[in-house]
Amino acid sequence: MSALQPTLDKPESLTGLSDDEFQALLLEGVSRTFALTIPQLPENLYRPVANAYLLCRIVDTVEDEVSLSPDQKKIFCERFIETVKTGHGASDFAADLAPLLSEQTIPAEHTLIGLTPRVIQITHSFDPQQIEALATCVETMAQGMPIFQAQNLSNGLPTMADMDKYCYYVAGCVGEMLAKLFCHYSPEIATHRERLLELSVSFGQGLQMTNILKDIWDDAGRDVCWLPQDIFDETGFDLSTLTPETDDENFRKGLEHLISIAHGHLSNALAYTQLIPSHETGIRNFCLWALGMAVLTLRKIKQNLDFKQSNQVKITRNSVKATILTTRLTGRSNLLLSLLFNLTSRGLESPDWTYHPQSLKAKSAL
């Protein structure tokens, strides 16, 4: 008989896999998107970036687990931060958390939690600077996300600044970590370190805002809203009245404004990518595929502001293939990338509108 075929539903079958094979199989189970983009990276970047995504997914699993109380989530997050930093306690963490996971957590995440010890073992095979980058990201995410999970999210977030903070905790800090890993990988890239770190937060926010806008109605069905009220104050819509049945022009106008803000962040994502040397095609592809899919998603939302389900604005497989092909053809040229971005993102801006963060304070003072 041949050896047991490695599958996520048989965790014991993964023991004979190399670290790269092990992480690739886990990535395929928890995120098809990242299973597609991360392998584009050079080998010396693939391992830490794949590992980083798995670490972040463990934090997400804890935060999303419906069976855990806020106090339990906090305790598990604190334990996981310490485990990532030190490399110790992974087996106890997994043994304590795994039995508490509900059926609402997908099977691949059940497997990921059970295999936390090997994920952490891989983490601590990296250079100290890489471990520090991963640990800082995990700590920021694990400490920041509970702040928002503890809030009543049925009425949206109070201000755009709150949305900025949320996006930082779930995506911006990941962008910072990636920038640090890229700089560690290449002294040439490191010459732009400060600018890359600045733009990386915006890059992450652009991607996260796109996901939030795409998933508005899925979230509304769970009585959750991540949209900022002050943006909708300007258009005359109260987010506390938002339901899956909402059909309101003032709400759609607010969406247009958020699309414009997200477009600005994706413009920064392009600037970030253009700072990566043109010969680093793997890193550029990794960034451009995410950027391209986000732009196409925003376009679909802008063209279908009355959508009611996320699958109505989800880009097709053909669009994904076209993004991959186009970026491979143009990815080395900053000029062609700018032309392509301007063409595909045309119409996403709100040309006669500018966000005024003091608008909410001004109204409350009246």
Side-chain angles (χ1 to χ4, degrees):
M1 280 294 280
S2 61
L4 188 64
Q5 181 70 24
T7 59
L8 291 182
D9 59 348
K10 295 183 175 66
E12 66 277 7
S13 69
L14 277 59
T15 55
L17 297 179
S18 69
D19 287 348
D20 286 354
E21 292 169 334
F22 171 79
Q23 294 198 132
L25 194 59
L26 281 175
L27 277 175
E28 182 66 33
V30 298
S31 174
R32 290 184 178 179
T33 298
F34 283 101
L36 175 69
T37 60
I38 292 177
Q40 304 309 309
L41 295 169
E43 182 180 355
N44 290 343
L45 270 174
Y46 168 80
R47 291 192 186 98
V49 173
N51 188 260
Y53 182 81
L54 295 175
L55 295 176
C56 292
R57 194 61 181 239
I58 291 171
V59 177
D60 285 341
T61 301
V62 172
E63 288 301 332
D64 293 340
E65 177 50 62
V66 295
S67 72
L68 298 178
S69 69
D71 285 343
Q72 285 177 305
K73 291 180 180 181
K74 181 179 179 182
I75 291 170
F76 276 115
C77 280
E78 289 174 347
R79 289 176 62 182
F80 189 61
I81 291 169
E82 190 64 19
T83 292
V84 175
K85 286 182 175 181
T86 65
H88 303 307
S91 295
D92 289 342
F93 171 86
D96 292 344
L97 178 58
L100 302 179
L101 299 178
S102 67
E103 292 184 0
Q104 291 192 36
T105 293
I106 64 173
E109 290 178 343
H110 280 262
T111 300
L112 174 60
I113 295 302
L115 294 172
T116 298
R118 184 165 180 189
V119 175
I120 294 296
Q121 182 182 12
I122 296 172
T123 305
H124 281 266
S125 69
F126 303 139
D127 292 347
Q129 300 98 313
Q130 294 172 310
I131 297 171
E132 189 277 333
L134 270 59
T136 298
C137 176
V138 167
E139 183 171 22
T140 301
M141 182 179 288
Q143 289 182 344
M145 288 174 65
I147 296 173
F148 288 89
Q149 294 283 359
Q151 296 179 17
N152 177 6
L153 297 170
S154 59
N155 298 333
L157 298 170
T159 68
M160 189 66 220
D162 294 299
M163 189 180 202
D164 292 343
K165 290 178 184 177
Y166 172 70
C167 288
Y168 175 71
Y169 288 135
V170 299
C173 65
V174 177
E176 286 181 323
M177 173 197 65
L178 289 171
K180 292 175 184 177
L181 292 176
F182 293 168
C183 290
H184 175 270
Y185 161 80
S186 165
E188 185 179 3
I189 294 175
T191 60
H192 300 291
R193 179 182 175 90
E194 293 308 314
R195 182 61 175 154
L196 285 170
L197 284 171
E198 177 185 347
L199 292 170
S200 68
V201 175
S202 188
F203 196 158
Q205 176 149 351
L207 299 181
Q208 186 62 29
M209 284 187 70
T210 300
N211 284 333
I212 288 172
L213 294 172
K214 174 177 65 70
D215 295 333
I216 286 170
W217 302 113
D218 295 348
D219 291 336
R222 301 183 294 109
D223 198 28
V224 169
C225 178
W226 295 106
L227 305 178
Q229 180 59 59
D230 64 340
I231 294 293
F232 291 87
D233 282 339
E234 295 185 14
T235 67
F237 183 80
D238 185 350
L239 288 173
S240 68
T241 67
L242 183 68
T243 71
E245 291 73 40
T246 295
D247 181 9
D248 189 291
E249 185 60 33
N250 293 333
F251 175 70
R252 289 189 283 272
K253 179 60 70 174
L255 288 188
E256 288 186 324
H257 292 170
L258 288 174
I259 289 170
S260 182
I261 292 174
H263 169 270
H265 287 296
L266 294 182
S267 180
N268 286 339
L270 175 65
Y272 175 96
T273 306
Q274 290 172 325
L275 287 175
I276 303 296
S278 60
H279 62 83
E280 293 287 0
T281 54
I283 302 176
R284 281 200 168 208
N285 284 339
F286 172 79
C287 297
L288 289 171
W289 292 5
L291 170 57
M293 288 186 277
V295 169
L296 293 180
T297 301
L298 282 184
R299 277 181 56 182
K300 290 200 75 170
I301 296 172
K302 184 67 178 281
Q303 293 164 0
N304 302 276
L305 290 170
D306 56 352
F307 79 101
K308 290 299 179 183
Q309 295 179 339
S310 59
N311 59 14
Q312 293 174 325
V313 293
K314 186 178 180 180
I315 62 174
T316 65
R317 289 185 178 180
N318 285 338
S319 293
V320 173
K321 291 177 181 178
T323 299
I324 291 172
L325 176 61
T326 304
T327 53
R328 278 181 170 160
L329 292 173
T330 62
R332 281 177 168 267
S333 169
N334 285 351
L335 175 60
L336 288 178
L337 287 176
S338 293
L339 291 173
L340 181 62
F341 180 83
N342 291 336
L343 178 65
T344 55
S345 65
R346 183 181 298 166
L348 294 181
E349 293 179 282
S350 295
D352 300 324
W353 175 81
T354 302
Y355 173 53
H356 298 290
Q358 298 302 316
S359 60
L360 186 62
K361 292 182 180 179
K363 287 188 177 185
S364 64
L366 294 176

